[in-house]
Amino acid sequence: MAFYGDLFRPPGHMLAVGDPAYTAADVEDGFEAELLLAWWRSAAEGDAGVAPPGGDTLVRSPRAAQTALRALSRSRFFSRIALRALVFDLKQVHRYLADPELRVRVRRRVQTAITADTRVVIAHSLGSVVAYEALCALPGHGVRALVTLGSPLGMRMIFDRLEPAPSPSGLWPGPESLCWTNVADEGDAVAAVKDLRPYFGEDVRSAVVHNGSHAHDATAYLTDRLTGAAVARGLA
């Protein structure tokens, strides 16, 4: 398993526990505000309990961000996440895409874990972005199957920032024989785009699953039969 969470955590001290105590006021204008609004729209589309943002909604102020966070707190996925953790997730995605040095260090952790014996790479959430970029940067790797779970790769604001920059039809993360299966829950707001084929080609095998109240939970994804079948295909 490739771990890189420590690279995103600020230096700790005796009074700090867990994530920084972020609030709505810490949501930055630009990418973070736009991603928050995209999550809100996605959550509203897949969850009747979430009111959609109005046509005049602009997440450009702490008050607007607070409104978005309040709406997301009623969704199946985000209702179980503390506000500070949700803002931390926003900033984690932002930092990975905006900090070239951090991006290289994170990607290197994954690349180091992929050896000549690696046949299947399983990646969840932001990890799917890291795994995709890592595989694209490893020509000649022997990975047979890529399994992405709850992936935001189909979100335009993520897709357009990938490295290496994908062509209009998407860059395939390995040889033509590599089997890529993308698994998304219908109510997973992070995986706002369930079908990756329009972005990466018709060879992506897209599957929609039902994780219940744990729409984005990695454990729920990993225990689904379709995920298991994708892994088995890479090991066969």
Side-chain angles (χ1 to χ4, degrees), residues 155-175:
M155 297 181 70
R156 197 78 217 186
M157 59 194 306
I158 304 294
F159 181 83
D160 289 342
R161 291 174 170 82
L162 290 175
E163 293 181 355
S167 64
S169 58
L171 181 66
W172 197 249

Side-chain angles (χ1 to χ4, degrees), residues 98-110:
D99 185 336
E101 181 179 351
L102 174 67
R103 194 172 193 162
V104 169
R105 294 175 66 196
V106 170
R107 196 162 57 195
R108 188 175 295 134
R109 292 272 183 98
V110 174

Side-chain angles (χ1 to χ4, degrees), residues 127-224:
S128 67
V129 178
V130 180
Y132 172 83
E133 292 189 339
L135 289 174
C136 286
L138 282 176
H141 66 72
V143 175
R144 297 173 180 170
L146 170 62
V147 183
T148 49
L149 312 172
S151 174
L153 277 166
M155 297 181 70
R156 197 78 217 186
M157 59 194 306
I158 304 294
F159 181 83
D160 289 342
R161 291 174 170 82
L162 290 175
E163 293 181 355
S167 64
S169 58
L171 181 66
W172 197 249
E176 292 183 5
S177 58
L178 180 142
C179 179
W180 181 358
T181 303
N182 183 64
V183 185
D185 180 276
E186 191 65 47
D188 189 343
V190 173
V193 178
K194 318 302 178 186
D195 188 353
L196 298 184
R197 288 176 296 177
Y199 293 89
F200 298 97
E202 292 298 318
D203 288 334
V204 180
R205 303 172 73 246
S206 297
V208 175
V209 298
H210 302 282
N211 294 336
S213 60
H214 304 277
H216 191 63
D217 188 87
T219 302
Y221 274 121
L222 288 169
T223 55
D224 192 90

Side-chain angles (χ1 to χ4, degrees), residues 34-55:
E34 292 171 10
L35 181 58
L36 178 59
L37 182 57
W39 281 353
W40 183 5
R41 287 174 178 149
S42 178
E45 290 173 0
D47 192 333
V50 179

